[in-house]
Amino acid sequence: MLKSTTCLAAALSALIATSAAAEGELNLYSSRHYDTDERLYTDFEEATGIKINRIEGKADELIARMEAEGANSPADVMLTVDTSRLARAKDAGILQAIDSETLEERIPANLQDEDNQWFGFSQRGRIIFYNKENVANPPATYADLAKPEYKGLICIRSSTNTYNQTLLASIITHEGTEAAKSWAEGVVANMARDPQGGDTDQLRGIVSGECDIAVSNTYYYARAIRKDVKGLSSDLDKIGWVFPNQDSYGAHMNLSGGGVAAHAPNKENAILFLEYLASDQAQKYFSAGNDEFPAVQSVELAESVKALGEFKADDVNLSEVAKNIPEAQKIFNEVGWK
């Protein structure tokens, strides 16, 4: 049974009173770049009295920095987006296993590292969008994207994009290497243009007519529902969407998550912060402020996220998916996915 917000608040208070939290500090390395995260940090500081010192940057830069700092790293927590980067941080040896009953109870097992070195706190579905006027029969599965009937219609990001790397790694996990390679070859053959830009640019490609089908994370579309996104919001009625693989394993979900640094000088504070991110309050911010799906399934969705409708999410263990990311990159290189 999930703990209530009241119980979690009590647990926070108890930990503060009995741990190294008296030092009142947390050093956060984060590659999340969302303005709404400010509310997460200020609310934690107000609730605990712990001051958050932030260092922000790109995920790979932060991982390299923590590796270079070694045992002298001041980092207590690393936050980043996508399973591939969480796995990269673990493989680099910059995270540590932790023991937290709160995280074990609140975060679904498939959204946790098998060694408890990282935990997912929010999710984004990587799904199919299409031009409703031009596509009468949109792809119903990821495999369909490789069908010849969609030749010249697809906009999708580059092979260096972590979202695509994890998507392909999940296909390897479910269907094997040969099927995954065949899929990647088919998608390359069906591209309307060379991969370029971010997910919002793929959706704009539908609006501009450059492509009729695009692959994007859900929160880019949901954001355009909640607020004005140039070149997208005014034409949302042209775009339909499909949550793929609803008759099989479900739509692929990628993560935003984090873990405690390997040499965290304020380890108890770090665990406390991760437990806060699993609270109802913080989980609501992930949805309302950044149009994401909460990791804690009982938390109510923001209206922009609700608008996407109900669907079956893939519940594959993302620790297993992470193991296939190097193979996914190899396949991308072999099939010429730029």
Side-chain angles (χ1 to χ4, degrees):
M1 181 178 295
L2 298 180
K3 291 187 175 182
S4 68
T5 306
T6 301
C7 291
L8 185 59
L12 294 178
S13 298
L15 187 53
I16 291 168
T18 59
S19 72
E23 298 189 5
E25 192 171 66
L26 174 76
N27 299 314
L28 173 64
Y29 283 32
S30 177
S31 68
R32 281 182 61 94
H33 53 81
Y34 314 113
D35 293 340
T36 51
D37 285 359
E38 292 290 335
R39 184 73 180 272
L40 290 170
Y41 306 142
T42 57
D43 280 8
F44 177 78
E45 288 179 329
E46 290 174 4
T48 64
I50 297 170
K51 182 179 184 296
I52 297 178
N53 305 310
R54 273 185 289 161
I55 292 178
E56 298 180 335
K58 295 181 178 179
D60 290 342
E61 294 171 353
L62 293 177
I63 291 171
R65 175 172 178 158
M66 291 173 70
E67 284 186 282
E69 291 170 342
N72 296 318
S73 177
D76 292 309
V77 169
M78 180 179 182
L79 293 182
T80 189
V81 295
D82 198 72
T83 310
S84 63
R85 289 175 176 142
L86 292 167
R88 202 173 304 157
K90 178 184 177 180
D91 292 343
I94 62 172
L95 301 178
Q96 64 173 289
I98 62 170
D99 183 17
S100 168
E101 181 182 346
T102 297
L103 293 175
E104 288 292 343
E105 290 185 354
R106 293 186 66 82
I107 303 300
N110 67 304
L111 306 185
Q112 301 180 27
D113 171 53
E114 60 188 3
D115 298 317
N116 283 5
Q117 291 198 28
W118 53 258
F119 296 82
F121 295 106
S122 62
Q123 304 179 83
R124 306 90 172 269
R126 191 148 192 78
I127 70 171
I128 299 167
F129 294 87
Y130 64 97
N131 185 317
K132 292 190 292 186
E133 296 178 358
N134 297 341
V135 182
N137 297 297
T141 67
Y142 296 110
D144 286 350
L145 290 168
K147 288 184 174 180
E149 65 194 83
Y150 300 117
K151 187 174 180 63
L153 300 185
I154 297 174
C155 282
I156 191 168
R157 290 174 75 163
S158 74
S159 63
T160 60
N161 173 246
T162 58
Y163 303 143
N164 282 344
Q165 290 170 3
T166 307
L167 173 60
L168 183 55
S170 75
I171 293 172
I172 295 171
T173 305
H174 285 295
E175 303 179 24
T177 300
E178 289 305 312
K181 184 176 180 180
S182 177
W183 176 82
E185 289 174 335
V187 173
V188 170
N190 288 345
M191 289 181 183
R193 64 186 184 191
D194 286 344
Q196 57 186 265
D199 275 14
T200 302
D201 296 304
Q202 313 316 310
L203 296 172
R204 287 182 178 132
I206 294 176
V207 173
S208 68
E210 291 180 86
C211 49
D212 283 327
I213 297 170
V215 177
S216 171
N217 282 355
T218 49
Y219 78 126
Y220 292 96
Y221 185 87
R223 179 183 301 162
I225 295 174
R226 178 172 57 87
K227 66 179 185 179
D228 183 56
V229 175
K230 185 178 180 181
L232 183 57
S233 293
S234 61
D235 291 292
L236 284 182
D237 59 339
K238 294 181 180 179
I239 301 176
W241 61 90
V242 172
F243 284 96
N245 295 72
Q246 295 302 282
D247 292 331
S248 57
Y249 50 77
H252 171 68
M253 308 296 287
N254 54 58
L255 290 180
S256 177
V260 176
H263 306 287
N266 302 292
K267 181 178 177 179
E268 295 301 325
N269 291 359
I271 294 173
L272 190 67
F273 179 68
L274 295 188
E275 291 177 342
Y276 166 72
L277 294 183
S279 70
D280 285 1
Q281 175 177 303
Q283 289 286 297
K284 288 178 181 177
Y285 288 158
F286 284 120
S287 189
N290 201 45
D291 309 289
E292 298 174 271
F293 291 95
V296 178
Q297 296 173 356
S298 61
V299 173
E300 185 176 359
L301 300 178
E303 291 302 316
S304 61
V305 183
K306 281 183 183 178
L308 296 170
E310 296 183 358
F311 66 99
K312 177 183 178 181
D314 188 356
D315 62 0
V316 66
N317 190 306
L318 291 178
S319 283
E320 294 302 312
V321 171
K323 295 174 184 177
N324 288 319
I325 289 171
E327 183 64 24
Q329 188 59 67
K330 179 182 176 183
I331 289 173
F332 278 137
N333 294 339
E334 289 176 348
V335 304
W337 189 314
K338 295 181 181 180

